[in-house]
Amino acid sequence: MIGSQITFAEDEKSDGGRTEKRPLIISTWPFGKPGNEVALKTVEAGKSTLDAVEAGIRHVEASGNQTVGLSGKPNAAGFAQLDACIMHGPGHKAGSVAAIEGIKHPISVARRVMEKTPHVMLAGDGARWFALQEGFESIDISERPKKVKAWKKEQKQRRSEAPAGSAENHDTITMLVLGPDGTLSGGCSTSGLADKLPGRVGDSPILGGGLYVDNKVGAAGATGIGENVMRYCATFMIVEFMRQGLSPTDACKKIIERIKSYEPENKNLAINFIAIDKQGRFGAAGTDKFPHSVTYPGFSEVLTADAV
Ligand code: GLY
């Protein structure tokens, strides 16, 4: 902690917090905290909330994290395919890349898709081709067939050690930033579910799935098993719940309760959400206890949301 306490709104029905300080940054997991601090410095240096999201997520993509960026766990064929998206509140702008290979910073490619093309999402070989055309840092992927062979040999043992879908196999950096002028931006980046089938796309590059930003209301982001998030348009719903007056925490809890009500009781959904509203309230919830990072001037902490 580098300063003052979180202040809790009197009318808050559950945990979460509120601050008047800006920028306010919230991200998934403890590994989001250094990324938040990069985002904070970016805004303090006079740059935009969009610049802050990109810089903060780039920091995590380059950190050697096992579930984000090129250092993330490979898919079932032995290579990493990365998903990312970015949204900027003003103008309701968005860009996204899915199943992109060999590119160091998918979040920056997503931003370039948003800013330089008439499209929202590029996938697979086309996304890599675009990134190379634009000069983004890349690695050679021509060795892929050899990797596939080696990986297949170890597959049985690997799956018994950490089956696809288990908790250690699916963490995403998702970051939301509320700027001094009320602007909201957000982004996500992940290598996705370890051992996923090649071509599998998770929730993280799907708007309204892994991320949703509405500059009039708030923003929400997800981490966890993408299939359990994207089938319910979960972050879109969280923002809509906030529009109806729920606090960020209660909105995150409500979508988890809704999703649970549709799923078998004993299913391990492994889903977690963060949210922030236009007033500077923030919150989170997960199907298990969910550590997430909150940063604003004078404060940077990992908080833990209760399991729903
Ligand atoms: N949430 C990351 C994924 O399922 O790919």
Side-chain angles (χ1 to χ4, degrees):
M1 176 157 168
I2 48 171
S4 63
Q5 295 295 320
I6 296 169
T7 54
F8 287 85
E10 273 171 26
D11 61 349
E12 200 82 68
K13 275 194 268 166
S14 52
D15 56 352
R18 176 184 198 145
T19 180
E20 301 301 319
K21 298 199 176 157
R22 304 288 182 268
L24 166 61
I25 303 147
I26 182 166
S27 67
T28 50
W29 307 114
F31 64 66
K33 186 169 164 280
N36 284 8
E37 289 161 6
V38 169
L40 176 71
K41 283 191 192 138
T42 305
V43 175
E44 286 179 339
K47 296 195 173 166
S48 69
T49 50
L50 190 65
D51 292 330
V53 164
E54 182 185 8
I57 292 181
R58 280 176 70 94
H59 182 82
V60 181
E61 286 175 338
S63 68
N65 188 295
Q66 285 204 340
T67 53
V68 178
L70 288 174
S71 52
K73 288 187 182 169
N75 64 14
F79 49 90
Q81 285 187 324
L82 310 179
D83 293 339
C85 79
I86 199 160
M87 260 192 109
H88 189 47
H92 210 65
K93 292 181 188 144
S96 163
V97 289
I100 191 170
E101 286 175 41
I103 300 295
K104 190 167 176 193
H105 289 297
I107 191 69
S108 297
V109 186
R111 179 172 179 176
R112 194 65 60 86
V113 171
M114 176 178 91
E115 291 182 334
K116 218 177 158 177
T117 80
H119 309 306
V120 169
M121 179 184 245
L122 295 177
D125 289 345
R128 178 174 164 88
W129 176 86
F130 173 74
L132 296 179
Q133 296 302 306
E134 291 294 310
F136 284 103
E137 209 177 325
S138 62
I139 58 165
D140 179 18
I141 57 169
S142 61
E143 290 288 293
R144 203 173 77 178
K146 275 195 209 157
K147 281 194 182 173
V148 173
K149 228 172 157 189
W151 190 255
K152 285 214 144 161
K153 266 192 185 165
E154 304 158 11
Q155 200 164 44
K156 216 170 167 186
Q157 189 195 348
R158 211 178 49 250
R159 284 191 172 163
S160 65
E161 281 167 6
S166 60
E168 62 270 39
N169 278 340
H170 56 78
D171 294 345
T172 300
I173 176 68
T174 303
M175 185 179 289
L176 312 172
V177 180
L178 174 64
D181 63 352
T183 295
L184 284 156
S185 302
C188 301
S189 183
T190 187
S191 52
L193 209 56
D195 248 353
K196 63 190 177 184
L197 286 175
R200 178 265 190 188
V201 173
D203 60 315
S204 304
I206 307 294
L207 305 169
L211 177 73
Y212 196 67
V213 177
D214 182 322
N215 214 47
K216 292 183 183 162
V217 178
T223 177
I225 298 178
E227 284 75 3
N228 296 336
V229 173
M230 62 208 284
R231 285 183 292 126
Y232 293 94
C233 301
T235 56
F236 173 77
M237 285 308 303
I238 291 170
V239 172
E240 290 308 303
F241 291 148
M242 291 194 290
R243 195 192 305 276
Q244 290 162 14
L246 260 59
S247 72
T249 305
D250 289 336
C252 292
K253 286 184 171 172
K254 187 163 175 163
I255 192 63
I256 293 177
E257 281 157 6
R258 159 102 41 109
I259 294 172
K260 277 184 149 180
S261 76
Y262 280 80
E263 297 284 336
E265 216 167 280
N266 56 359
K267 184 170 171 183
N268 178 16
L269 291 169
I271 49 175
N272 309 278
F273 300 101
I274 53 173
I276 193 170
D277 73 10
K278 203 69 182 163
Q279 290 73 47
R281 294 189 295 176
F282 56 87
T287 45
D288 294 303
K289 275 183 178 288
F290 173 41
H292 54 284
S293 299
V294 176
T295 301
Y296 50 83
F299 182 92
S300 191
E301 276 277 349
V302 174
L303 306 179
T304 302
D306 288 338
V308 174

Coordinates of all heavy atoms in Angstrom, one line a residue, residues 199-282:
G199 N -7.1 -22.8 -32.7 CA -8.2 -22.1 -33.3 C -9.3 -21.7 -32.3 O -10.2 -20.9 -32.6
R200 N -9.2 -22.3 -31.1 CA -10.2 -22.0 -30.1 C -10.0 -20.5 -29.7 O -8.9 -20.0 -29.4 CB -10.0 -22.9 -28.8 CG -10.9 -22.6 -27.7 CD -10.3 -21.7 -26.6 NE -11.1 -21.5 -25.4 CZ -10.8 -20.7 -24.5 NH1 -9.8 -19.8 -24.6 NH2 -11.5 -20.6 -23.4
V201 N -11.1 -19.8 -29.6 CA -11.1 -18.4 -29.2 C -11.9 -18.3 -27.9 O -13.0 -18.9 -27.8 CB -11.8 -17.5 -30.3 CG1 -11.9 -16.1 -29.8 CG2 -10.9 -17.5 -31.6
G202 N -11.3 -17.7 -26.9 CA -12.0 -17.5 -25.6 C -12.8 -16.3 -25.6 O -13.2 -15.6 -26.6
D203 N -13.1 -15.9 -24.3 CA -14.0 -14.7 -24.1 C -13.2 -13.4 -24.3 O -13.8 -12.3 -24.6 CB -14.5 -14.7 -22.7 CG -13.4 -14.7 -21.6 OD1 -12.5 -15.5 -21.8 OD2 -13.5 -14.0 -20.7
S204 N -11.9 -13.4 -24.1 CA -11.1 -12.2 -24.0 C -11.1 -11.3 -25.2 O -11.1 -10.0 -25.0 CB -9.6 -12.5 -23.6 OG -9.6 -13.3 -22.4
P205 N -11.2 -11.8 -26.4 CA -11.3 -10.8 -27.6 C -12.7 -10.5 -27.9 O -13.0 -9.8 -28.9 CB -10.6 -11.6 -28.7 CG -10.9 -13.0 -28.4 CD -11.0 -13.1 -26.9
I206 N -13.7 -11.1 -27.2 CA -15.1 -10.9 -27.5 C -15.7 -9.8 -26.7 O -15.8 -9.8 -25.5 CB -15.9 -12.2 -27.2 CG1 -15.3 -13.4 -27.9 CG2 -17.4 -12.1 -27.6 CD1 -15.3 -13.4 -29.4
L207 N -16.2 -8.7 -27.4 CA -16.8 -7.6 -26.8 C -18.1 -8.0 -26.1 O -18.9 -8.6 -26.8 CB -17.0 -6.5 -27.8 CG -15.7 -6.1 -28.6 CD1 -16.1 -5.2 -29.7 CD2 -14.7 -5.4 -27.6
G208 N -18.2 -7.6 -24.9 CA -19.4 -8.1 -24.1 C -19.2 -9.4 -23.4 O -19.9 -9.8 -22.6
G209 N -18.1 -10.1 -23.8 CA -17.7 -11.4 -23.2 C -16.6 -11.0 -22.2 O -16.9 -10.9 -21.0
G210 N -15.4 -10.9 -22.6 CA -14.2 -10.7 -21.7 C -14.1 -9.2 -21.3 O -13.5 -8.9 -20.3
L211 N -14.8 -8.3 -22.1 CA -14.6 -6.9 -21.8 C -15.8 -6.1 -22.4 O -16.3 -6.4 -23.5 CB -13.4 -6.3 -22.5 CG -13.1 -4.8 -22.3 CD1 -12.6 -4.5 -20.9 CD2 -12.0 -4.4 -23.3
Y212 N -16.3 -5.1 -21.6 CA -17.2 -4.2 -22.2 C -17.1 -2.8 -21.5 O -16.9 -2.7 -20.3 CB -18.7 -4.7 -22.0 CG -19.6 -4.0 -22.9 CD1 -19.6 -4.1 -24.3 CD2 -20.6 -3.1 -22.4 CE1 -20.5 -3.4 -25.1 CE2 -21.5 -2.4 -23.2 CZ -21.4 -2.6 -24.6 OH -22.3 -1.9 -25.4
V213 N -17.1 -1.8 -22.3 CA -17.0 -0.4 -21.8 C -18.1 0.5 -22.4 O -18.3 0.4 -23.6 CB -15.6 0.2 -22.3 CG1 -15.5 1.7 -21.8 CG2 -14.4 -0.6 -21.7
D214 N -18.8 1.1 -21.5 CA -19.8 2.1 -22.0 C -19.5 3.4 -21.3 O -19.6 3.5 -20.0 CB -21.2 1.6 -21.6 CG -22.3 2.5 -22.1 OD1 -22.1 3.7 -22.1 OD2 -23.4 2.0 -22.5
N215 N -19.1 4.4 -22.0 CA -18.6 5.6 -21.4 C -19.7 6.4 -20.6 O -19.3 7.2 -19.8 CB -18.1 6.5 -22.5 CG -16.9 7.3 -22.0 OD1 -16.0 6.8 -21.3 ND2 -16.9 8.6 -22.2
K216 N -21.0 6.0 -20.8 CA -22.0 6.7 -20.0 C -22.2 6.1 -18.7 O -22.8 6.6 -17.8 CB -23.3 6.7 -20.8 CG -23.3 7.5 -22.0 CD -24.7 7.5 -22.6 CE -24.7 8.3 -23.9 NZ -25.8 8.0 -24.8
V217 N -21.8 4.8 -18.5 CA -22.2 4.0 -17.3 C -21.0 3.5 -16.6 O -20.8 3.7 -15.4 CB -23.0 2.8 -17.8 CG1 -23.4 1.9 -16.6 CG2 -24.3 3.3 -18.5
G218 N -20.1 2.7 -17.2 CA -19.0 2.0 -16.6 C -18.4 1.0 -17.5 O -18.7 0.9 -18.7
A219 N -17.6 0.1 -16.9 CA -16.9 -0.9 -17.6 C -16.7 -2.1 -16.8 O -16.7 -2.1 -15.6 CB -15.5 -0.4 -18.0
A220 N -16.6 -3.3 -17.5 CA -16.5 -4.6 -16.8 C -15.5 -5.5 -17.6 O -15.4 -5.4 -18.8 CB -17.8 -5.2 -16.6
G221 N -14.8 -6.3 -16.8 CA -13.9 -7.3 -17.5 C -14.0 -8.6 -16.8 O -14.4 -8.8 -15.6
A222 N -13.5 -9.6 -17.5 CA -13.6 -11.0 -17.0 C -12.2 -11.7 -17.0 O -11.3 -11.3 -17.7 CB -14.6 -11.8 -17.9
T223 N -12.1 -12.8 -16.2 CA -11.1 -13.8 -16.3 C -11.7 -15.1 -15.9 O -12.6 -15.1 -15.1 CB -9.8 -13.4 -15.5 OG1 -8.9 -14.4 -15.5 CG2 -10.2 -13.2 -14.0
G224 N -11.1 -16.2 -16.4 CA -11.6 -17.5 -16.0 C -11.9 -18.3 -17.3 O -11.4 -18.0 -18.4
I225 N -12.7 -19.3 -17.2 CA -13.0 -20.2 -18.3 C -13.9 -19.5 -19.3 O -15.1 -19.2 -19.0 CB -13.6 -21.5 -17.9 CG1 -12.5 -22.3 -17.0 CG2 -13.9 -22.4 -19.1 CD1 -13.0 -23.6 -16.4
G226 N -13.3 -19.1 -20.4 CA -14.0 -18.2 -21.4 C -15.4 -18.7 -21.8 O -16.3 -17.9 -22.0
E227 N -15.5 -20.0 -22.0 CA -16.7 -20.6 -22.5 C -17.9 -20.3 -21.5 O -19.0 -20.1 -21.9 CB -16.6 -22.1 -22.6 CG -15.8 -22.6 -23.9 CD -14.3 -22.4 -23.8 OE1 -13.8 -21.9 -22.7 OE2 -13.6 -22.6 -24.8
N228 N -17.5 -20.2 -20.2 CA -18.6 -19.9 -19.2 C -18.9 -18.4 -19.1 O -19.8 -18.0 -18.4 CB -18.1 -20.4 -17.8 CG -18.0 -21.9 -17.8 OD1 -18.6 -22.6 -18.7 ND2 -17.2 -22.5 -17.0
V229 N -18.1 -17.6 -19.8 CA -18.3 -16.1 -19.8 C -19.0 -15.7 -21.0 O -20.1 -15.0 -21.0 CB -17.0 -15.4 -19.7 CG1 -17.1 -13.9 -19.9 CG2 -16.3 -15.7 -18.4
M230 N -18.5 -16.2 -22.2 CA -19.0 -15.7 -23.5 C -20.4 -16.2 -23.8 O -21.2 -15.5 -24.5 CB -18.0 -16.0 -24.6 CG -17.8 -17.4 -24.8 SD -16.1 -17.8 -25.5 CE -16.3 -17.3 -27.2
R231 N -20.8 -17.3 -23.3 CA -22.2 -17.8 -23.6 C -23.2 -16.9 -22.9 O -24.4 -17.0 -23.2 CB -22.3 -19.2 -23.1 CG -21.7 -20.2 -24.0 CD -21.9 -21.7 -23.5 NE -21.2 -22.0 -22.3 CZ -21.9 -22.5 -21.2 NH1 -23.2 -22.7 -21.2 NH2 -21.2 -22.7 -20.1
Y232 N -22.8 -16.1 -22.0 CA -23.8 -15.3 -21.2 C -23.6 -13.7 -21.5 O -24.2 -12.9 -20.8 CB -23.7 -15.6 -19.7 CG -24.1 -17.0 -19.4 CD1 -23.2 -18.0 -19.3 CD2 -25.4 -17.3 -19.2 CE1 -23.6 -19.3 -19.0 CE2 -25.9 -18.6 -18.9 CZ -24.9 -19.6 -18.8 OH -25.3 -20.9 -18.5
C233 N -22.7 -13.4 -22.4 CA -22.4 -11.9 -22.7 C -22.2 -11.2 -21.3 O -22.8 -10.2 -21.0 CB -23.6 -11.3 -23.4 SG -23.9 -12.0 -25.0
A234 N -21.4 -11.8 -20.5 CA -21.3 -11.5 -19.1 C -21.0 -10.0 -18.8 O -21.6 -9.4 -17.9 CB -20.4 -12.4 -18.3
T235 N -19.9 -9.5 -19.5 CA -19.5 -8.1 -19.1 C -20.5 -7.1 -19.6 O -20.7 -6.1 -19.0 CB -18.1 -7.8 -19.6 OG1 -18.0 -8.0 -21.0 CG2 -17.1 -8.7 -18.8
F236 N -21.1 -7.4 -20.8 CA -22.2 -6.6 -21.3 C -23.3 -6.5 -20.2 O -23.8 -5.4 -19.9 CB -22.8 -7.1 -22.6 CG -24.0 -6.4 -23.1 CD1 -23.8 -5.1 -23.7 CD2 -25.2 -6.9 -22.9 CE1 -24.9 -4.4 -24.1 CE2 -26.4 -6.2 -23.3 CZ -26.2 -4.9 -23.9
M237 N -23.7 -7.6 -19.7 CA -24.7 -7.7 -18.7 C -24.4 -6.9 -17.4 O -25.2 -6.2 -16.8 CB -25.1 -9.1 -18.3 CG -25.9 -9.9 -19.4 SD -27.4 -9.0 -19.9 CE -28.3 -8.8 -18.4
I238 N -23.1 -7.0 -17.0 CA -22.6 -6.3 -15.8 C -22.8 -4.8 -16.0 O -23.3 -4.1 -15.1 CB -21.2 -6.6 -15.4 CG1 -21.1 -8.1 -14.9 CG2 -20.6 -5.7 -14.4 CD1 -19.6 -8.6 -14.8
V239 N -22.4 -4.3 -17.1 CA -22.6 -2.9 -17.4 C -24.1 -2.5 -17.4 O -24.5 -1.5 -16.9 CB -21.9 -2.5 -18.7 CG1 -22.2 -1.0 -19.1 CG2 -20.4 -2.6 -18.6
E240 N -24.9 -3.4 -18.0 CA -26.4 -3.1 -18.0 C -26.9 -3.1 -16.6 O -27.8 -2.3 -16.2 CB -27.1 -4.1 -18.9 CG -26.8 -3.9 -20.4 CD -27.0 -2.5 -20.8 OE1 -28.1 -2.0 -20.6 OE2 -26.1 -1.9 -21.3
F241 N -26.4 -4.0 -15.7 CA -26.9 -4.0 -14.3 C -26.5 -2.7 -13.6 O -27.2 -2.2 -12.8 CB -26.3 -5.2 -13.6 CG -26.8 -6.6 -14.0 CD1 -26.0 -7.7 -13.9 CD2 -28.2 -6.7 -14.4 CE1 -26.5 -9.0 -14.3 CE2 -28.6 -8.0 -14.8 CZ -27.8 -9.1 -14.8
M242 N -25.3 -2.2 -14.0 CA -24.9 -0.9 -13.4 C -25.7 0.2 -13.9 O -26.1 1.1 -13.1 CB -23.4 -0.7 -13.6 CG -22.4 -1.6 -12.9 SD -20.7 -1.1 -12.9 CE -20.2 -1.4 -14.6
R243 N -26.1 0.1 -15.1 CA -27.0 1.1 -15.7 C -28.4 1.2 -14.9 O -29.0 2.2 -14.7 CB -27.3 0.8 -17.2 CG -27.9 2.0 -17.9 CD -28.4 1.6 -19.3 NE -27.4 1.0 -20.2 CZ -26.5 1.6 -20.9 NH1 -26.5 2.9 -20.9 NH2 -25.7 0.9 -21.7
Q244 N -28.8 0.0 -14.5 CA -30.0 -0.1 -13.7 C -29.9 0.3 -12.3 O -30.8 0.3 -11.5 CB -30.6 -1.6 -13.8 CG -31.1 -2.0 -15.1 CD -31.2 -3.5 -15.3 OE1 -31.1 -4.2 -14.3 NE2 -31.3 -3.9 -16.5
G245 N -28.6 0.6 -11.9 CA -28.4 1.2 -10.5 C -27.6 0.3 -9.6 O -27.3 0.7 -8.5
L246 N -27.2 -0.9 -10.0 CA -26.4 -1.7 -9.1 C -25.0 -1.2 -9.0 O -24.5 -0.6 -9.9 CB -26.4 -3.2 -9.6 CG -27.4 -4.2 -9.0 CD1 -28.8 -3.7 -9.2 CD2 -27.2 -5.5 -9.6
S247 N -24.4 -1.4 -7.8 CA -23.0 -1.1 -7.6 C -22.2 -2.1 -8.5 O -22.6 -3.2 -8.8 CB -22.6 -1.2 -6.2 OG -22.5 -2.6 -5.8
P248 N -20.9 -1.7 -8.8 CA -20.1 -2.7 -9.5 C -20.0 -4.0 -8.9 O -20.1 -5.1 -9.5 CB -18.7 -2.0 -9.5 CG -19.1 -0.5 -9.5 CD -20.3 -0.4 -8.6
T249 N -19.8 -4.1 -7.5 CA -19.7 -5.4 -6.9 C -21.0 -6.2 -7.0 O -21.0 -7.4 -7.4 CB -19.5 -5.2 -5.3 OG1 -18.3 -4.4 -5.2 CG2 -19.3 -6.5 -4.7
D250 N -22.2 -5.5 -6.8 CA -23.4 -6.2 -6.9 C -23.7 -6.6 -8.3 O -24.3 -7.7 -8.5 CB -24.6 -5.3 -6.3 CG -24.5 -5.2 -4.8 OD1 -23.9 -6.1 -4.2 OD2 -25.0 -4.2 -4.3
A251 N -23.3 -5.8 -9.3 CA -23.5 -6.2 -10.7 C -22.7 -7.5 -11.0 O -23.1 -8.4 -11.7 CB -23.1 -5.1 -11.6
C252 N -21.4 -7.5 -10.5 CA -20.6 -8.7 -10.7 C -21.2 -10.0 -10.1 O -21.2 -11.1 -10.6 CB -19.2 -8.5 -10.2 SG -18.2 -7.3 -11.1
K253 N -21.7 -9.8 -8.8 CA -22.3 -10.9 -8.1 C -23.6 -11.4 -8.9 O -23.8 -12.6 -9.0 CB -22.7 -10.5 -6.7 CG -21.5 -10.4 -5.8 CD -21.9 -10.0 -4.4 CE -20.8 -10.2 -3.4 NZ -21.0 -9.7 -2.1
K254 N -24.3 -10.4 -9.4 CA -25.6 -10.8 -10.0 C -25.4 -11.6 -11.3 O -26.1 -12.6 -11.5 CB -26.4 -9.5 -10.4 CG -27.8 -9.8 -10.9 CD -28.7 -8.7 -10.8 CE -30.0 -9.0 -11.5 NZ -31.1 -8.2 -11.2
I255 N -24.3 -11.3 -12.1 CA -24.1 -12.1 -13.3 C -23.7 -13.5 -12.9 O -24.0 -14.5 -13.5 CB -23.2 -11.4 -14.3 CG1 -23.2 -12.2 -15.7 CG2 -21.7 -11.4 -13.9 CD1 -24.6 -12.1 -16.3
I256 N -22.9 -13.6 -11.8 CA -22.5 -14.9 -11.4 C -23.7 -15.8 -10.9 O -23.8 -16.9 -11.3 CB -21.4 -14.9 -10.3 CG1 -20.1 -14.3 -10.9 CG2 -21.1 -16.3 -9.7 CD1 -19.0 -14.1 -9.9
E257 N -24.5 -15.1 -10.2 CA -25.8 -15.8 -9.7 C -26.6 -16.3 -10.9 O -27.1 -17.4 -11.0 CB -26.6 -14.9 -8.8 CG -26.0 -14.9 -7.4 CD -26.4 -13.7 -6.6 OE1 -27.2 -12.9 -7.1 OE2 -25.9 -13.5 -5.5
R258 N -26.7 -15.4 -11.9 CA -27.5 -15.7 -13.1 C -26.9 -16.9 -13.8 O -27.6 -17.8 -14.2 CB -27.5 -14.5 -14.0 CG -27.8 -14.7 -15.5 CD -29.2 -14.4 -16.0 NE -29.8 -13.2 -15.4 CZ -30.1 -12.1 -16.2 NH1 -29.7 -12.1 -17.4 NH2 -30.7 -11.1 -15.6
I259 N -25.5 -16.8 -14.1 CA -24.9 -17.9 -14.8 C -25.0 -19.2 -14.0 O -25.4 -20.3 -14.6 CB -23.4 -17.6 -15.1 CG1 -23.3 -16.4 -16.0 CG2 -22.6 -18.8 -15.6 CD1 -21.9 -15.8 -16.2
K260 N -24.8 -19.2 -12.7 CA -24.9 -20.4 -11.9 C -26.3 -21.0 -12.0 O -26.5 -22.2 -12.0 CB -24.7 -20.0 -10.4 CG -23.2 -20.0 -10.0 CD -23.1 -19.8 -8.6 CE -21.9 -20.5 -8.0 NZ -21.7 -20.3 -6.6
S261 N -27.3 -20.2 -12.1 CA -28.7 -20.7 -12.2 C -29.0 -21.4 -13.5 O -30.0 -22.2 -13.5 CB -29.7 -19.5 -12.0 OG -29.8 -18.8 -13.2
Y262 N -28.1 -21.3 -14.5 CA -28.3 -22.0 -15.7 C -27.4 -23.2 -15.8 O -27.6 -24.0 -16.8 CB -28.0 -21.1 -16.9 CG -29.0 -20.1 -17.3 CD1 -29.2 -18.9 -16.6 CD2 -29.9 -20.4 -18.4 CE1 -30.2 -18.0 -16.9 CE2 -30.9 -19.5 -18.7 CZ -31.0 -18.3 -18.0 OH -32.0 -17.4 -18.4
E263 N -26.5 -23.4 -14.9 CA -25.5 -24.4 -15.0 C -25.7 -25.5 -14.0 O -26.3 -25.3 -12.9 CB -24.1 -23.8 -14.8 CG -23.8 -22.8 -15.9 CD -23.4 -23.4 -17.2 OE1 -22.9 -24.5 -17.3 OE2 -23.5 -22.7 -18.2
P264 N -25.2 -26.7 -14.2 CA -25.3 -27.8 -13.2 C -24.6 -27.3 -11.9 O -23.6 -26.6 -11.9 CB -24.5 -28.9 -13.8 CG -24.4 -28.6 -15.2 CD -24.5 -27.2 -15.4
E265 N -25.3 -27.7 -10.8 CA -24.9 -27.2 -9.4 C -23.4 -27.5 -9.1 O -22.7 -26.6 -8.5 CB -25.8 -27.8 -8.4 CG -26.1 -26.8 -7.3 CD -27.2 -27.3 -6.4 OE1 -28.4 -27.1 -6.8 OE2 -26.9 -27.8 -5.3
N266 N -22.9 -28.6 -9.5 CA -21.6 -29.0 -9.1 C -20.5 -28.6 -10.1 O -19.3 -29.0 -10.0 CB -21.5 -30.5 -8.8 CG -21.9 -31.3 -10.0 OD1 -22.3 -30.8 -11.0 ND2 -21.9 -32.6 -9.8
K267 N -20.9 -27.9 -11.2 CA -19.9 -27.5 -12.2 C -18.9 -26.5 -11.7 O -19.4 -25.5 -11.1 CB -20.6 -27.0 -13.4 CG -19.7 -26.7 -14.6 CD -20.5 -26.5 -15.9 CE -19.6 -26.0 -17.0 NZ -20.4 -25.6 -18.2
N268 N -17.6 -26.7 -11.9 CA -16.7 -25.6 -11.5 C -16.6 -24.6 -12.6 O -15.9 -24.8 -13.6 CB -15.3 -26.3 -11.3 CG -14.2 -25.2 -11.0 OD1 -14.6 -24.1 -10.6 ND2 -13.0 -25.6 -11.1
L269 N -17.3 -23.5 -12.5 CA -17.4 -22.5 -13.5 C -16.1 -21.7 -13.7 O -15.8 -21.3 -14.8 CB -18.6 -21.6 -13.2 CG -20.0 -22.2 -13.4 CD1 -21.0 -21.2 -12.8 CD2 -20.3 -22.4 -14.8
A270 N -15.4 -21.5 -12.6 CA -14.2 -20.8 -12.6 C -14.2 -19.5 -13.4 O -13.5 -19.3 -14.3 CB -13.0 -21.6 -13.1
I271 N -15.1 -18.6 -12.9 CA -15.3 -17.2 -13.6 C -15.1 -16.1 -12.6 O -15.6 -16.3 -11.4 CB -16.6 -17.1 -14.4 CG1 -17.8 -17.5 -13.5 CG2 -16.5 -17.9 -15.6 CD1 -19.1 -17.4 -14.1
N272 N -14.6 -15.0 -13.0 CA -14.3 -13.9 -12.1 C -14.5 -12.6 -12.9 O -14.1 -12.5 -14.1 CB -12.9 -13.9 -11.6 CG -12.5 -15.2 -11.0 OD1 -12.8 -15.5 -9.9 ND2 -11.8 -16.1 -11.8
F273 N -15.0 -11.6 -12.2 CA -15.3 -10.3 -12.9 C -14.8 -9.1 -12.1 O -14.8 -9.1 -10.8 CB -16.8 -10.2 -13.1 CG -17.4 -11.3 -13.9 CD1 -18.0 -12.3 -13.4 CD2 -17.2 -11.3 -15.3 CE1 -18.5 -13.4 -14.1 CE2 -17.7 -12.3 -16.1 CZ -18.3 -13.4 -15.5
I274 N -14.4 -8.0 -12.8 CA -14.1 -6.7 -12.2 C -15.0 -5.7 -12.8 O -15.4 -5.9 -14.0 CB -12.6 -6.3 -12.4 CG1 -12.2 -6.4 -13.8 CG2 -11.7 -7.2 -11.5 CD1 -10.8 -5.8 -14.1
A275 N -15.3 -4.6 -12.1 CA -16.2 -3.6 -12.7 C -15.9 -2.2 -12.0 O -15.4 -2.2 -10.9 CB -17.6 -3.9 -12.6
I276 N -16.2 -1.2 -12.8 CA -15.9 0.2 -12.3 C -17.1 1.0 -12.9 O -17.6 0.7 -14.0 CB -14.5 0.6 -12.9 CG1 -13.9 1.8 -12.4 CG2 -14.6 0.7 -14.4 CD1 -12.5 1.9 -12.9
D277 N -17.5 2.0 -12.1 CA -18.6 2.8 -12.7 C -18.1 4.3 -12.9 O -17.0 4.6 -12.4 CB -19.9 2.7 -12.0 CG -19.9 3.4 -10.6 OD1 -19.0 4.1 -10.3 OD2 -20.9 3.2 -9.9
K278 N -18.9 5.1 -13.5 CA -18.5 6.4 -13.9 C -18.3 7.3 -12.6 O -17.6 8.3 -12.7 CB -19.7 6.9 -14.6 CG -19.6 8.1 -15.6 CD -18.8 7.8 -16.8 CE -18.8 9.1 -17.6 NZ -17.7 9.1 -18.6
Q279 N -18.9 6.9 -11.5 CA -18.7 7.7 -10.2 C -17.5 7.3 -9.5 O -17.2 7.8 -8.4 CB -19.9 7.4 -9.3 CG -21.3 8.0 -9.8 CD -21.9 7.3 -10.9 OE1 -21.9 6.0 -10.9 NE2 -22.3 8.0 -11.9
G280 N -16.7 6.3 -9.9 CA -15.5 5.9 -9.2 C -15.7 4.8 -8.2 O -14.9 4.6 -7.3
R281 N -16.9 4.1 -8.3 CA -17.1 2.9 -7.5 C -16.4 1.8 -8.3 O -16.5 1.7 -9.5 CB -18.6 2.7 -7.3 CG -19.2 3.7 -6.4 CD -20.6 3.4 -6.0 NE -21.5 3.2 -7.2 CZ -22.8 2.8 -7.1 NH1 -23.3 2.5 -5.9 NH2 -23.5 2.8 -8.2
F282 N -15.9 0.8 -7.5 CA -15.3 -0.3 -8.2 C -15.6 -1.6 -7.3 O -15.9 -1.5 -6.2 CB -13.7 -0.2 -8.3 CG -13.1 0.1 -7.0 CD1 -12.6 -0.9 -6.1 CD2 -12.9 1.4 -6.5 CE1 -12.0 -0.6 -4.9 CE2 -12.2 1.7 -5.3 CZ -11.8 0.7 -4.5

